[in-house]
């Protein structure tokens, strides 16, 4: 059966604290921190974007396995902050990891679930023998308008997974999706920042789809929450995934490993996959994992997975773990953040 | 039969500095006319013009500098050959050498060598980008390297390996400013204390603003003449007794030792051999100290002191009256650094010194001058040794 | 506008740190060069592409405060000469560090970053930078 043969992530080193953002906008620092359950969010440096994050994640994935990049036949990069509106991120990544001339490629966008949609597509192509290996990446340098609640969480990071049939470390037993037309969060073409329906993003958006997909998966697989060792859900803030987990019947023990938002913020398309990456950093053969992403607009992708014996031989230590990326950080103030994120209007002396 | 010696019979230069009302062509013509007048020659006497310029194409968007200089010097009707010589910041020295060779060859009797650079029309980060084109654009400047950054990288390694304090570097601009205070054509006339030199704002650590030459406008010109011309006109003049040029890798990283200026070393060996003089015979040197660190490396690679030991010279021995006086003109830091003009301007200083016309900054009994003009980070070095009469 | 073909031509070298190896003397070079400066004509036709590991150590460095507009947002940034394990010494930025922690001799490894971009509507140029290992 097909599944994940390797994985790798990348999170920028810079962090800003919610207290620092609140200081600028006159919000109450402790309340913002506690309400969103977020201690810091990652910030890309000015020379980082979705292409650089994707390349680093893909290179980390490749360094953990011995796959010849020439055998990778597809690349799908999911993001809502691709560096170009027209010109693929995927080809930049492919060129940086030495993929051959013949490969399938497209950039995906489905708000925060474009990366997991890429995983589904790559799995289908592997299953149908179109390709030997394929790579799916979820990455974002997400935009949160200054002064908007999103600014506290919108962060940067990404994860790449290579899917194939040989030396599979995590079997993807099944995947399914639910989708509806829901205007909970959007960004129009050419606009710098997304808009959202505030509390409307909750029940009719996030919870409805996560719960529906999670339940559908357990029904299909005939499983119950206690059958899983780990669960990971899309994490727009620290609170939503905890509530979704409880609604579905999961315990803190099951979701805490994959819950990264409190430390890195919401990496959007990178969110669920990076949570999964943190789980794979410690998972043992036989462990069962449920992953459910969410993308506004809206939909959820669910994955039922089992860690294989191959994990014992897998060279996890050839690339940095999520834990290491969370520990090795540098805090910046709002001024530096503004400079990095190009919020400041500059003259000709700055590019 | 006449020897084919080459003499310098006239020199002139503009002031160096921020010359807001002067254009590229204004500067070139002003220096050229001064040199021609000084030499006492007329347009009909000129066989050829060699014009040195580093960055006009990049900064002024003007190429075809040879024609520009000849045209606006009023020499187009006569059809006098005029070509540009480009060797980055060593263009001046390189043009001088080409002119010298043209006379040596017997082809010409009187040649004008000019150098000009008009840099202040652009400023700020733009001029840094343009100046960085003297590095390897694709593999150094592309990644954010600037001339100052590369000099600073060299400086840090040098200070680290030879246990040299930053203060030794700071003595170079202190000396330059002291000398420039006596040079009316210099860009700066203020004296600099060691503390001021140490405390300036950082440009590329460990180098600060006082370690770096300024952005300058300026032009200089000299007239060279053959032995035949000298005999015919019963003239005496400063003689070029040694001339040499050598190259090194374009990228600093490609070199075996980043603090050995191989081009300087090789050119110095050749020039001294040709001139048949010893280091101790040299009355003063004009060094290409676009960054303070280079003055130390140059003193070493020219053979005045062992590698790593320039710190023994910079406190006292480089002053006027010291063992090896450096940059009586004020050097690149204080006289100024108009790229293409620098090498020719060094000749102007030597011409004044060796004719005992340097006024307040006159080096006593100056007999032999060594002029060192360097491109980029040491990619080319041109050395001339001149003898007074 | 940035010259597209000029950028595109160097892409594989800049993305993947591909240098050249002289098959006559086995010396390794970066950036790419067509002739080995030791073997001269003996090297013609014997210069082959060679992928460098991206690991090396700092030969020397500077903390740059005055930059062109392309790098202004990163000032002060660290510019270094890095001796790669395979031999070549290359010029590159060291990122994601406090400049005070950079030292001669420290180990570094390659990262993939944006190097320059042509305004907000032009092409983005990517390539190597380095991080402390």
């Amino acid at each position: 059966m097909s599944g994940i043969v390797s994985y790798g992530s990348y999170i920028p080193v810079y962090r800003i604290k919610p207290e620092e953002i609140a200081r600028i906008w006159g919000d109450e620092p402790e309340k913002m921190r506690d309400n969103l359950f977020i201690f810091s969010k990652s910030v890309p440096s000015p020379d980082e974007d979705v292409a650089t994050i994707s390349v680093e994640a893909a290179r980390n994935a490749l360094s953990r396995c011995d796959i010849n990049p020439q055998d990778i036949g597809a690349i799908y990069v999911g993001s809502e902050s691709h560096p170009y509106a027209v010109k693929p991120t995927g080809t930049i990544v492919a060129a940086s990891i030495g993929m051959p001339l013949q490969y399938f490629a497209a950039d995906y966008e489905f708000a925060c679930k474009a990366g997991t949609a890429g995983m589904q597509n790559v799995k289908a192509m592997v299953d149908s023998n179109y390709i030997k290996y394929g790579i799916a990446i979820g990455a974002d340098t997400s935009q949160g308008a200054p002064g908007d609640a999103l600014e506290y969480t919108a962060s940067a990071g990404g994860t790449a997974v290579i899917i194939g049939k040989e030396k599979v470390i995590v079997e993807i037993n099944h995947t399914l999706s639910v989708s509806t037309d829901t205007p909970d969060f959007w960004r129009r073409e050419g606009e710098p920042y997304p808009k959202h329906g505030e509390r409307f993003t909750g029940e009719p958006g996030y919870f409805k789809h996560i719960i529906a997909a999670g339940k559908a998966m357990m029904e299909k697989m005939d499983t119950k929450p206690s059958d899983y060792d780990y669960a990971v859900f899309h994490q727009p803030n620290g609170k939503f995934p905890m509530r979704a987990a409880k609604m579905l019947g999961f315990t803190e023990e099951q979701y805490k490993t994959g819950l990264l938002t409190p430390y890195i913020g919401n990496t959007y398309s990178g969110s669920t996959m990076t949570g999964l990456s943190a789980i794979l950093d410690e998972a043992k053969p036989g462990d069962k994992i449920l992953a459910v992403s969410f993308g506004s607009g809206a939909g959820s992708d669910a994955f039922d997975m089992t860690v294989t014996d191959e994990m014992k031989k897998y060279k996890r230590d050839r690339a940095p773990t999520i834990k290491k990326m969370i520990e090795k950080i540098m805090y910046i103030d709002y001024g530096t953040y503004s400079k990095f994120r190009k919020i400041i209007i500059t003259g000709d002396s700055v590019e | 039969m006449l020897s084919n010696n080459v003499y310098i019979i006239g020199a002139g230069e503009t002031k160096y500095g921020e010359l807001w009302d002067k254009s590229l062509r204004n500067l070139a013509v002003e220096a050229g006319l001064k040199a021609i007048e000084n030499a006492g020659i007329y347009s009909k006497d000129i066989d050829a013009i060699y014009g040195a310029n580093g960055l006009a194409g990049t900064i002024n968007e003007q190429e075809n500098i040879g024609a520009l200089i000849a045209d606006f010097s009023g020499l187009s009707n006569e059809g006098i050959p005029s070509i540009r010589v480009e060797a980055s910041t060593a263009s001046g020295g390189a043009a001088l050498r080409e002119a010298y060779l043209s006379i040596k060859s017997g082809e010409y009797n009187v040649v004008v060598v000019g150098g000009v650079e008009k840099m202040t029309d652009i400023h700020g980060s733009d001029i840094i980008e343009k100046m960085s084109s003297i590095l390897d654009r694709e593999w150094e400047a592309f990644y954010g390297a600037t001339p100052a950054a590369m000099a600073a990288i060299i400086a840090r390694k040098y200070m680290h390996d030879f246990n040299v304090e930053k203060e030794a570097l700071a003595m170079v601009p202190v000396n330059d400013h002291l000398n420039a205070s006596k040079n009316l054509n210099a860009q700066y006339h203020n004296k600099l204390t060691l503390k001021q030199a140490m405390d300036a704002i950082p440009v590329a650590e460990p180098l600060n603003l006082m370690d770096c030459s300024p952005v300058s406008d300026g032009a200089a010109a000299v007239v060279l003449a053959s032995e035949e011309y000298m005999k015919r006109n019963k003239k005496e003049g400063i003689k070029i007794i040694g001339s040499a040029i050598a190259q090194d890798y374009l990228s600093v990283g490609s070199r075996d030792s980043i603090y050995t200026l191989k081009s300087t070393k090789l050119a110095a060996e050749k020039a001294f051999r040709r001139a048949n003089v010893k280091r101790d015979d040299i009355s003063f040197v004009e060094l290409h100290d676009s960054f303070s660190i280079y003055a130390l490396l140059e003193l070493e690679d020219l053979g005045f002191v062992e590698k790593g030991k320039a710190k023994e010279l910079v406190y006292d021995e480089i002053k006027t009256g010291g063992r090896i006086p450096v940059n009586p003109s004020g050097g690149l830091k204080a006289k100024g650094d108009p790229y293409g003009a620098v090498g020719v301007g060094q000749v102007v200083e030597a011409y004044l010194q060796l004719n005992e016309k340097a006024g307040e900054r006159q080096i006593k009994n100056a007999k032999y001058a060594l002029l060192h003009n360097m491109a980029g980070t040491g990619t080319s070095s041109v050395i001339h040794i001149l003898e007074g009469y | 506008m940035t010259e597209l073909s000029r950028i595109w031509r160097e892409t594989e070298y800049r993305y993947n740190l591909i240098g050249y190896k002289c098959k006559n003397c086995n010396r390794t070079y970066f950036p790419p060069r067509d002739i080995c400066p030791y073997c001269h004509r003996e090297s013609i036709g014997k210069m082959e592409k060679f992928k460098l590991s991206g690991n090396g150590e700092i030969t020397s460095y500077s903390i740059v405060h005055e930059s062109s507009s392309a790098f202004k947002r990163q000032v002060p940034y660290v510019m270094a000469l890095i001796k790669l394990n395979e031999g070549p010494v290359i010029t590159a930025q060291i990122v994601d560090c406090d400049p005070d922690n950079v030292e001669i001799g420290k180990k570094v490894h390659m990262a993939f970053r944006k190097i320059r971009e042509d305004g907000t509507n032009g092409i983005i140029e990517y390539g190597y930078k380095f991080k402390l290992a």
Side-chain angles (χ1 to χ4, degrees):
Chain A
M1 190 188 286
S2 67
I4 297 169
V5 293
S6 195
Y7 72 99
S9 298
Y10 180 81
I11 301 163
V13 296
Y14 293 103
R15 297 285 184 280
I16 188 166
K17 292 181 175 176
E19 293 93 321
E20 174 66 7
I21 297 170
R23 183 177 71 84
I24 302 301
W25 293 106
D27 290 333
E28 282 199 43
E30 289 76 22
K31 286 206 171 123
M32 291 312 291
R33 184 191 62 204
D34 298 343
N35 286 352
L36 294 165
F37 188 46
I38 182 159
F39 308 116
S40 66
K41 71 161 187 173
S42 63
V43 180
S45 69
D47 59 358
E48 291 183 302
D49 62 16
V50 163
T52 67
I53 289 169
S54 298
V55 169
E56 293 289 2
R59 284 181 176 171
N60 280 338
L62 274 171
S63 62
R64 282 175 168 151
C65 61
D66 300 311
I67 290 172
N68 182 349
Q70 293 280 319
D71 291 334
I72 301 175
I75 181 162
Y76 293 91
V77 182
S79 180
E80 57 178 84
S81 49
H82 289 289
Y84 293 94
V86 178
K87 188 185 180 299
T89 305
T91 54
I92 299 170
V93 182
S96 308
I97 60 175
M99 280 170 59
L101 177 65
Q102 210 178 98
Y103 62 84
F104 298 93
D107 286 358
Y108 276 8
E109 185 282 310
F110 191 148
C112 298
K113 83 166 189 74
T116 50
M119 283 175 66
Q120 293 174 323
N121 197 26
V122 168
K123 175 175 162 54
M125 295 177 96
V126 168
D127 287 346
S128 58
N129 294 320
Y130 264 54
I131 56 174
K132 186 172 181 190
Y133 296 109
I135 186 161
I137 300 171
D140 257 304
T141 54
S142 33
Q143 311 98 340
D148 188 284
L150 282 182
E151 194 182 21
Y152 288 92
T153 51
S155 70
T159 292
V161 298
I162 301 172
I163 291 173
K165 287 180 178 170
E166 289 173 22
K167 295 189 180 173
V168 169
I169 56 167
V170 184
E171 283 186 351
I172 301 175
N173 305 315
H174 191 59
T175 178
L176 60 80
S177 295
V178 299
S179 307
T180 67
D181 180 9
T182 308
D184 56 333
F185 175 109
W186 66 92
R187 181 167 66 84
R188 291 282 297 273
E189 182 67 43
E191 288 295 311
Y193 299 112
K195 289 172 76 95
H196 56 89
E198 301 216 344
R199 293 189 61 77
F200 180 67
T201 60
E203 290 309 329
Y206 181 85
F207 293 104
K208 173 178 166 179
H209 296 86
I210 293 260
I211 302 302
K215 280 187 173 161
M217 181 57 86
M218 287 190 276
E219 220 163 90
K220 169 80 186 170
M221 302 305 288
D222 195 20
T223 50
K224 50 188 187 308
S226 59
D227 293 336
Y228 295 94
D229 299 278
Y230 297 98
V232 57
F233 306 101
H234 175 57
Q235 339 181 341
N237 51 52
K239 286 265 173 82
F240 275 25
M242 294 200 291
R243 218 169 102 201
K246 280 185 191 122
M247 287 163 76
L248 280 166
F250 289 91
T251 64
E252 190 184 348
E253 203 55 36
Q254 288 162 295
Y255 69 69
K256 70 174 185 193
T257 305
L259 183 57
L260 303 175
T261 299
Y263 313 102
I264 65 171
N266 180 6
T267 56
Y268 285 45
S269 303
S271 175
T272 308
M273 289 173 70
T274 307
L276 174 63
S277 178
I279 291 168
L280 298 185
D281 281 345
E282 63 168 52
K284 304 174 302 298
D287 283 350
K288 274 186 76 66
I289 304 165
L290 176 72
V292 187
S293 65
F294 170 73
S296 290
S300 279
D301 303 330
F303 297 82
D304 178 288
M305 295 171 279
T306 309
V307 180
T308 70
D309 285 342
E310 195 65 38
M311 188 61 112
K312 284 184 199 155
K313 284 180 265 173
Y314 182 66
K315 309 283 194 306
R316 272 192 284 221
D317 56 356
R318 284 201 205 154
T321 59
I322 295 294
K323 193 162 181 270
K324 200 175 165 198
M325 293 182 208
I326 285 175
E327 284 166 357
K328 209 179 155 188
I329 57 171
M330 298 168 81
Y331 287 107
I332 55 175
D333 59 14
Y334 197 86
T336 306
Y337 168 77
S338 309
K339 182 173 78 166
F340 281 12
R341 294 301 281 145
K342 306 189 178 178
I343 296 168
I344 303 173
I345 297 169
T346 55
D348 288 344
S349 64
V350 182
E351 116 295 306
Chain B
M1 194 188 142
L2 288 169
S3 78
N4 61 352
N5 282 331
V6 179
Y7 297 85
I8 298 162
I9 59 167
E13 66 186 353
T14 67
K15 184 180 161 37
Y16 284 8
E18 295 168 321
L19 310 175
W20 305 117
D21 55 347
K22 300 272 173 65
S23 68
L24 181 72
R25 63 189 74 182
N26 293 154
L27 293 167
V29 171
E30 183 186 327
L33 283 180
K34 280 181 176 169
I36 290 168
E37 275 184 41
N38 181 254
I41 59 164
Y42 293 88
S43 47
K44 64 175 170 49
D45 301 320
I46 301 170
D47 290 322
I49 299 168
Y50 286 85
N53 174 265
L55 289 177
T58 307
I59 296 179
N60 318 99
E61 297 182 5
Q62 177 69 59
E63 302 288 11
N64 213 347
I65 300 300
L68 179 92
I69 293 174
D71 185 350
F72 288 87
S73 302
L75 299 172
S76 290
N77 288 337
E78 286 77 10
I80 295 169
S82 175
I83 58 162
R84 170 194 184 175
V85 175
E86 190 275 313
S88 177
T89 50
S91 299
L96 177 71
R97 179 165 162 78
E98 291 307 310
Y100 162 86
L101 293 174
S102 76
I103 292 175
K104 276 258 176 204
S105 74
E107 181 74 13
Y108 297 143
N109 280 309
V110 176
V111 177
V112 178
V113 184
V116 62
E117 208 74 54
K118 177 68 198 175
M119 305 181 79
T120 61
D121 282 347
I122 56 172
H123 43 81
S125 46
D126 285 345
I127 190 73
I128 293 175
E129 177 85 18
K130 308 273 186 201
M131 288 162 78
S132 299
S133 68
I134 68 171
L135 307 174
D136 185 332
R137 168 60 175 73
E138 302 292 2
W139 306 103
E140 289 179 328
F142 176 79
Y143 292 94
T146 62
M150 297 315 293
I153 286 171
I154 295 170
R156 187 182 299 274
K157 179 76 171 156
Y158 176 83
M159 290 159 68
H160 174 270
D161 287 8
F162 297 107
N163 199 22
V164 173
E165 297 294 326
K166 176 65 190 17
E167 201 181 80
L169 274 63
M171 290 311 295
V172 174
V174 168
N175 179 63
D176 274 357
H177 272 260
L178 180 65
N179 291 344
S181 69
K182 301 169 196 159
N183 182 355
L184 286 178
N185 283 336
Q187 183 157 354
Y188 297 111
H189 298 117
N190 62 307
K191 289 173 190 162
L192 193 68
T193 64
L194 180 58
K195 184 170 168 18
Q196 285 171 323
M198 291 293 286
D199 292 350
I201 57 164
V203 171
E205 292 178 59
L207 302 184
N208 67 34
L209 193 60
M210 291 303 118
D211 292 297
C212 308
S213 64
V215 176
S216 316
D217 303 326
V222 294
V223 181
L224 305 191
S226 65
E227 182 94 27
E228 185 192 322
Y229 177 90
M230 301 300 276
K231 287 265 155 61
R232 201 168 60 218
N233 293 282
K234 300 188 172 52
K235 280 198 176 198
E236 281 188 305
I238 313 290
K239 203 185 341 176
I240 299 176
I241 57 169
S243 169
I245 182 166
Q247 295 293 130
D248 202 344
Y249 286 93
L250 178 60
S251 297
V252 175
S254 301
R255 302 173 195 166
D256 289 338
S257 158
I258 68 168
Y259 44 63
T260 301
L261 302 167
K262 194 179 75 186
S263 64
T264 295
K265 228 176 150 131
L266 294 175
E269 280 164 22
K270 278 193 243 177
F272 273 107
R273 207 182 313 131
R274 193 61 59 87
N276 199 24
V277 292
K278 294 188 289 294
R279 267 69 173 176
D280 286 344
D281 296 330
I282 301 296
S283 317
F284 69 93
V285 295
E286 284 282 318
L287 293 182
H288 196 104
D289 59 345
S290 44
F291 298 98
S292 58
I293 177 65
Y294 291 150
L296 277 74
L297 304 188
E298 288 155 8
L299 284 167
E300 294 165 2
D301 295 320
L302 287 169
F304 290 107
V305 67
E306 262 176 68
K307 182 54 63 189
K309 299 276 175 68
K311 60 185 173 189
E312 294 171 6
L313 295 180
V314 292
Y315 287 88
D316 293 307
E317 303 297 347
I318 64 170
K319 288 181 191 159
T320 304
R323 201 185 109 204
I324 180 70
V326 168
N327 295 345
S329 68
L332 277 70
K333 170 64 189 81
K335 182 187 179 187
D337 186 9
Y339 279 16
V342 168
V344 185
Q346 292 177 331
V347 189
V348 175
E349 179 66 17
Y351 180 83
L352 294 173
Q353 290 286 352
L354 297 176
N355 277 313
E356 301 218 335
K357 285 179 182 164
E360 259 195 277
R361 63 182 193 281
Q362 182 64 47
I363 308 268
K364 277 191 194 126
N365 305 319
K367 173 79 172 159
Y368 294 104
L370 183 145
L371 312 179
H372 169 270
N373 189 198
M374 189 168 82
T377 52
T379 47
S380 322
S381 291
V382 192
I383 292 171
H384 285 93
I385 300 176
L386 273 45
E387 183 183 13
Y389 55 96
Chain C
M1 193 171 114
T2 314
E3 313 90 317
L4 302 178
S5 47
R6 178 178 173 178
I7 299 165
W8 167 81
R9 199 179 296 131
E10 312 297 349
T11 300
E12 72 169 311
Y13 308 108
R14 288 188 175 145
Y15 283 15
N16 293 318
L17 209 63
I18 289 172
Y20 273 71
K21 187 170 209 156
C22 172
K23 289 287 171 186
N24 198 53
C25 70
N26 275 329
R27 282 187 179 86
T28 314
Y29 296 100
F30 191 93
R33 50 174 75 229
D34 296 328
I35 293 171
C36 169
Y38 290 89
C39 301
H40 308 287
R41 80 167 54 198
E42 302 300 317
S43 65
I44 294 171
K46 290 178 185 162
M47 300 296 280
E48 287 183 6
K49 281 183 189 175
F50 184 78
K51 193 172 178 345
L52 296 149
S53 66
N55 295 314
E57 66 170 56
I58 300 168
T59 299
S60 186
Y61 68 98
S62 170
I63 302 164
V64 181
H65 294 262
E66 288 195 6
S67 76
S68 62
S69 60
F71 301 94
K72 198 100 175 176
R73 219 176 277 275
Q74 296 154 47
V75 165
Y77 59 88
V78 178
M79 209 64 226
L81 284 183
I82 292 153
K83 187 169 175 60
L84 299 171
N85 289 354
E86 297 85 355
V89 177
I90 73 168
T91 309
Q93 266 190 52
I94 297 174
V95 293
D96 289 357
C97 63
D98 178 345
D100 291 342
N101 288 336
V102 178
E103 279 173 33
I104 289 173
K106 273 198 175 172
K107 302 267 187 238
V108 292
H109 64 85
M110 179 177 59
F112 186 81
R113 294 296 174 102
K114 272 197 286 193
I115 311 294
R116 290 166 177 259
E117 54 193 308
D118 183 16
T120 53
N121 62 357
I123 211 79
I124 304 167
E125 301 177 67
Y126 297 95
Y128 53 79
K129 293 191 179 183
F130 283 77
K131 287 186 192 188
L132 295 176

